[in-house]
Amino acid sequence: MKTILITGGAGFIGSHVVRLFVNKYPDYKIINLDKLTYAGNLENIRDIEKKPNYEFVKGDIVDEAFVSELFKKYNFSGVIHLAAESHVDRSISNPTEFIFTNIIGTVNLLNAARAKWSENFNDKLFYHISTDEVYGSLGEEGLFTESSPYDPRSPYSASKASSDHLVRAWYHTFKLPVVLSNCSNNYGPNQFPEKLIPLAINNIKNMKQVPVYGKGENIRDWLFVEDHARAIDQIFHRGKAGETYNIGGINEWKNIDLIQLLCKIMDEKLKRNPGTSASLISFVKDRAGHDLRYAIDSSKLQKELSWAPSLQFEEGLAKTVDWYLENEAWMNNVMTGDYEKYYEKQYIKR
Ligand code: NAD
Ligand code: DAU
């Protein structure tokens, strides 16, 4: 039985990856390591917690001694590393936490894997999950490819870029078998309601204002979270060591157009008069250093590993709205932390 460590498996993307691996690979033992920060929630994986091939470990990747002990205790043959501080706005108000978790935490895992595996790197893999934000901001034209130069511009993306470089350094210097992927914006069930789509769904539902930064002209390339999890499965099993794969939705949306579409879906689902939800749109102070446009060229992944996004955006968004409307208890649960206070501080009306 292979034992695989998945970090950050109680978070948004991690929970979908854990579920996919636990269900699809009954012969693997999946160890989910998570600190359970405000973004980590065991509710996200309730449905699989009693499966015999699953175990949860609460812990902090920044704690070097703990990480080292964990690698001594379990015989991991693979690591899928998702644990991170993930929200750009939080990285602007508190960058230091991002340096600790995203950089030091990653180095602790690399060191522990290297120490444990140094006798024999065969059949071992350290898979680092990263973001398209490391490439910086695009103008109107062009797409990020795997060879686009790094140009991170927020504390979050700089910390992720740093971790990407360190992972590659462990490959080149110490021969640790690694693989990386850089993905565009994910959406879907279980995303913490600080990110644009769940925040807007929740506010529209409660007839609260929907904050749109600046003029809403920034563009993101949206991918349904289960499609990302499928890509991670492909790359983990079939990706080449030392390689990087870009993952994207081929699905660019201006923020304001996305919010308008969401408002239309919400009016229909909540049986409100057309235009009711859109009346909540409120243009607020722009994010500092707000990247204009992200868009991914995922042709390498499509050609080499036969992956493609499966859902049309309208379908994925409707599915996502249904999930949030049906899971009110989840929303109340995740919002009982410091979220409301944070929200009040963050959005200053223009
Ligand atoms: P998330 O914030 O929803 O979840 C992060 C998880 O990591 C949480 O469960 C949290 O408890 C855990 N965590 C945080 N600090 C930790 C620590 N010190 N030790 C152990 N666990 C810790 O994030 P997400 O959106 O699911 O993103 C997961 C990964 O995917 C991140 O590495 C992120 O950079 C990357 N990514 C995210 C997106 C996106 O659109 N959300 C896109 C591309 C890449
Ligand atoms: O591109 C991948 C990245 O996508 C991931 O690496 C990050 O972890 C993830 O958080 C996400 O980053 P973004 O900053 O793009 O996502 P967010 O949902 O915060 O914002 C999406 C866009 O919407 C962005 O242009 C900012 C804008 N926005 C966001 C919020 C929260 C608003 O206009 N209003 C808001 O209230």
Side-chain angles (χ1 to χ4, degrees):
M1 196 183 220
K2 272 188 173 185
T3 307
I4 312 289
L5 173 66
I6 300 184
T7 71
F12 167 47
I13 302 170
S15 61
H16 290 274
V17 175
V18 165
R19 177 176 300 102
L20 182 111
F21 273 69
V22 166
N23 288 331
K24 186 168 172 187
Y25 302 106
D27 290 349
Y28 292 179
K29 174 95 184 174
I30 303 298
I31 310 299
N32 173 12
L33 162 63
D34 199 295
K35 183 181 173 184
L36 300 181
T37 67
Y38 78 94
N41 187 345
L42 291 175
E43 289 292 324
N44 294 349
I45 31 170
R46 263 307 161 232
D47 54 318
I48 51 108
E49 72 183 358
K50 296 213 164 67
K51 298 256 174 167
N53 63 336
Y54 171 76
E55 192 178 324
F56 176 72
V57 177
K58 185 172 187 294
D60 186 347
I61 57 170
V62 178
D63 182 342
E64 188 182 4
F66 161 75
V67 172
S68 158
E69 282 307 308
L70 190 78
F71 274 77
K72 283 184 195 142
K73 178 169 175 199
Y74 295 93
N75 209 7
F76 300 128
S77 59
V79 175
I80 305 179
H81 174 36
L82 296 110
E85 286 293 335
S86 69
H87 192 44
V88 174
D89 292 327
R90 285 184 192 257
S91 83
I92 296 168
S93 43
N94 179 19
T96 311
E97 197 64 32
F98 286 68
I99 309 308
F100 282 119
T101 288
N102 298 1
I103 305 178
I104 308 290
T106 301
V107 170
N108 286 341
L109 290 164
L110 288 167
N111 279 335
R114 180 181 166 223
K116 178 77 181 194
W117 296 343
S118 59
E119 299 288 300
N120 181 4
F121 282 151
N122 285 339
D123 297 323
K124 308 289 193 303
L125 188 64
F126 188 104
Y127 180 5
H128 180 61
I129 307 298
S130 193
T131 169
D132 60 357
E133 299 198 11
V134 297
Y135 300 122
S137 181
L138 289 166
E140 311 250 307
E141 299 286 312
L143 299 172
F144 295 132
T145 70
E146 287 80 2
S147 50
S148 295
Y150 271 39
D151 183 23
R153 293 146 48 100
S154 72
Y156 164 69
S157 54
S159 70
K160 289 297 290 188
S162 173
S163 64
D164 290 9
H165 289 315
L166 289 160
V167 171
R168 292 193 184 102
W170 258 245
Y171 173 73
H172 289 290
T173 310
F174 305 119
K175 312 290 173 228
L176 188 78
V178 308
V179 71
L180 296 91
S181 58
N182 295 78
C183 188
S184 64
N185 286 63
N186 284 217
Y187 72 98
N190 305 98
Q191 187 168 31
F192 194 83
E194 63 189 348
K195 308 279 172 27
L196 180 66
I197 290 180
L199 182 143
I201 294 173
N202 193 41
N203 284 15
I204 293 169
K205 177 171 163 253
N206 294 308
M207 287 301 286
K208 281 184 172 175
Q209 295 202 321
V210 179
V212 174
Y213 297 167
K215 293 183 182 150
E217 284 176 348
N218 303 67
I219 294 172
R220 297 292 183 263
D221 172 1
W222 294 92
L223 178 69
F224 192 64
V225 62
E226 289 176 9
D227 281 335
H228 188 186
R230 276 195 308 107
I232 289 172
D233 180 17
Q234 288 296 315
I235 294 166
F236 182 72
H237 288 101
R238 296 174 52 217
K240 271 203 215 121
E243 293 286 316
T244 295
Y245 299 86
N246 277 357
I247 313 171
I250 325 170
N251 180 39
E252 291 182 51
W253 284 78
K254 233 180 226 183
N255 290 340
I256 188 64
D257 296 341
L258 184 163
I259 293 296
Q260 293 282 7
L261 170 64
L262 191 59
C263 287
K264 189 168 152 281
I265 295 174
M266 293 290 285
D267 280 346
E268 285 162 14
K269 301 266 181 204
L270 297 170
K271 304 200 185 336
R272 288 179 178 164
N273 290 331
T276 309
S277 300
S279 71
L280 300 167
I281 294 174
S282 169
F283 292 98
V284 300
K285 189 171 178 286
D286 209 352
R287 172 184 282 172
H290 197 171
D291 288 341
L292 177 67
R293 175 172 165 255
Y294 306 141
I296 280 277
D297 175 350
S298 60
S299 51
K300 175 177 174 180
L301 179 62
Q302 295 187 42
K303 277 191 211 127
E304 293 184 14
L305 303 183
S306 314
W307 173 90
S310 70
L311 279 187
Q312 289 298 318
F313 192 47
E314 284 78 356
E315 194 190 337
L317 207 50
K319 211 169 149 174
T320 303
V321 168
D322 285 341
W323 188 87
Y324 282 97
L325 295 180
E326 283 159 16
N327 287 277
E328 207 170 331
W330 181 92
M331 185 62 86
N332 294 338
N333 180 10
V334 301
M335 283 178 58
T336 46
D338 63 348
Y339 174 64
E340 279 295 340
K341 220 167 52 210
Y342 166 79
Y343 176 92
E344 294 304 331
K345 268 209 322 232
Q346 200 71 28
Y347 306 114
I348 306 149
K349 188 144 192 285
R350 230 181 12 189

